Amino acid sequence: MSVKHTTEKALQMLRTLPRVTIGNIRDNPQSKQNVKRGRGQHGGDKHGAGNKGSGQRQNYMRLGYETGNTPFYLRFSYEPYYKGHHLKREYPPISLHQLQKLIDTDRLNYRAPIDLTTICNTGLFEIRPDMLHYGVQLTDEGADDFKAKINIEVQHAPEMVIAAIERNGGVIRTAYYDPHSLYAVVNPKKWFEKGVPIPRRMLPPQDAVEYYTDARNRGYLADPEKISYERLVLSQKYGYTLPKIEDDPDYAMLTEAKDPRQIFYGLNPGWVISLKDRAIIRQKQ
């Protein structure tokens, strides 16, 4: 093969090949061989356990130990802000948007009063008294889209939520449950199967009395006349016409309420419910 022919062939090949750039330069295949089996920075010879010391011997230090230094929890003084934090009552949130979705999907019956037992029976919310859960709080997410007319009892509700429910002709009430009663409220079937009487609801503690006796919070211990007045004040503040409950065809449902010592609708404290016999054992008068 002549030199001229070889040169022309090489030039012709260069005309068809792309230009050499940083983007298409690479090593020849199998030109570099990695002799180590990549296991971290040591290449596999330490087996992921580090270099000597307690880490290689799986003698792990206890949580909070700082290798001889004074640990964080001893280096800084006690903060009084956290005083009693392990005793504070917790109220898991439920938004108005979620409540409307439960009603639209027939998980909640809006033609009957809604309380904590009804919400727990949907199976979508878990209230754990052992984790200091004292009920639910109703949040204002979805307040503009809430259209249901309901009679609901929750443990905490802001002003916007109260206005959204009363604007549609509904009734809201905030009520307190003590931890012993909550075990029966969140799982009535388990409580009835034990064969013990329905407990009597205790009154709220001293730091919660003010909230549940305030008509602005629609507390269950508040004066009904003051609640009627606060309903009118709230409607004027948010600019909606307050529907008359007295003229509503669902007046009986909207005005149904529990006794302050009662935890179930239609069932009094002291009664024993037998699911096996489908019977209610009442106390003698």
Side-chain angles (χ1 to χ4, degrees), residues 240-253:
Y240 60 87
T241 303
L242 185 66
K244 291 185 178 180
I245 300 180
E246 296 80 6
D247 302 335
D248 198 292
D250 299 327
Y251 175 77
M253 183 274 293

Side-chain angles (χ1 to χ4, degrees), residues 13 55 61 65 76 103 132 141 172 181 199 261 264:
M13 184 184 299
M61 293 176 289
Y65 182 66
F76 296 95
I103 295 172
L132 297 182
E141 182 183 357
I172 184 172
S181 300
R261 296 289 192 175
F264 296 117

Side-chain angles (χ1 to χ4, degrees), residues 43-60:
D45 58 342
K46 303 297 182 184
H47 308 287
N51 188 27
K52 296 185 179 179
S54 61
Q56 201 174 48
R57 292 167 178 80
Q58 297 183 357
N59 181 25
Y60 302 115

Side-chain angles (χ1 to χ4, degrees), residues 88-102:
K88 291 183 179 179
R89 293 183 288 273
E90 299 287 340
Y91 299 95
I94 297 179
S95 66
L96 287 174
H97 176 74
Q98 291 175 306
L99 189 63
Q100 184 68 56
K101 187 183 294 185
L102 292 175

Side-chain angles (χ1 to χ4, degrees), residues 2-280:
S2 64
V3 178
K4 183 178 180 181
H5 180 69
T6 306
T7 305
E8 289 177 356
K9 189 175 181 180
L11 291 174
Q12 186 179 1
M13 184 184 299
L14 287 175
R15 293 190 192 99
T16 58
L17 291 175
R19 293 193 59 165
V20 178
T21 61
I22 297 296
N24 57 21
I25 291 180
R26 60 178 59 88
D27 297 323
N28 293 328
Q30 299 181 353
S31 63
K32 288 189 176 181
Q33 295 279 341
N34 189 5
V35 296
K36 293 189 175 181
R37 302 169 300 158
R39 297 290 189 278
Q41 61 178 338
H42 300 288
D45 58 342
K46 303 297 182 184
H47 308 287
N51 188 27
K52 296 185 179 179
S54 61
Q56 201 174 48
R57 292 167 178 80
Q58 297 183 357
N59 181 25
Y60 302 115
M61 293 176 289
R62 70 175 188 275
L63 191 64
Y65 182 66
E66 299 183 14
T67 63
N69 299 327
T70 305
F72 178 85
Y73 64 90
L74 293 178
R75 194 161 59 244
F76 296 95
S77 61
Y78 173 74
E79 288 288 344
Y81 170 81
Y82 297 103
K83 183 178 181 180
H85 71 281
H86 61 291
L87 301 174
K88 291 183 179 179
R89 293 183 288 273
E90 299 287 340
Y91 299 95
I94 297 179
S95 66
L96 287 174
H97 176 74
Q98 291 175 306
L99 189 63
Q100 184 68 56
K101 187 183 294 185
L102 292 175
I103 295 172
D104 293 341
T105 55
D106 292 333
R107 288 183 178 269
L108 286 179
N109 182 15
Y110 68 96
R111 297 189 179 277
I114 300 173
D115 61 350
L116 187 58
T117 303
T118 314
I119 294 173
C120 290
N121 284 341
T122 61
L124 300 177
F125 302 96
E126 185 182 16
I127 302 299
R128 297 187 56 182
D130 58 318
M131 300 291 290
L132 297 182
H133 291 178
Y134 278 73
V136 296
Q137 59 170 322
L138 205 53
T139 61
D140 57 1
E141 182 183 357
D144 297 334
D145 302 326
F146 189 75
K147 304 299 180 185
K149 180 178 64 176
I150 57 174
N151 177 7
I152 187 169
E153 177 191 87
V154 293
Q155 283 58 62
H156 195 279
E159 187 181 75
M160 186 68 182
V161 170
I162 297 173
I165 292 178
E166 294 180 349
R167 179 187 59 201
N168 299 327
V171 175
I172 184 172
R173 191 175 296 104
T174 56
Y176 171 81
Y177 288 95
D178 60 283
H180 184 60
S181 300
L182 275 174
Y183 281 103
V185 170
V186 300
N187 196 343
K189 183 175 181 292
K190 182 178 179 181
W191 186 271
F192 295 156
E193 287 175 345
K194 292 193 295 186
V196 296
I198 298 175
R200 185 176 66 165
R201 178 165 41 161
M202 298 291 103
L203 294 176
Q206 192 66 33
D207 59 341
V209 169
E210 183 179 357
Y211 182 85
Y212 292 109
T213 55
D214 194 345
R216 291 173 295 182
N217 302 324
R218 307 299 186 265
Y220 74 121
L221 300 177
D223 187 359
E225 294 184 359
K226 292 183 179 179
I227 292 180
S228 300
Y229 172 74
E230 292 296 337
R231 282 169 56 91
L232 180 61
V233 170
L234 194 62
S235 65
Q236 294 174 349
K237 178 178 180 179
Y238 284 89
Y240 60 87
T241 303
L242 185 66
K244 291 185 178 180
I245 300 180
E246 296 80 6
D247 302 335
D248 198 292
D250 299 327
Y251 175 77
M253 183 274 293
L254 293 174
T255 55
E256 187 175 356
K258 300 177 186 176
D259 185 81
R261 296 289 192 175
Q262 190 179 7
I263 66 174
F264 296 117
Y265 283 105
L267 299 175
N268 294 336
W271 291 3
V272 178
I273 311 300
S274 176
L275 298 180
K276 183 178 181 181
D277 300 331
R278 295 180 176 271
I280 300 177

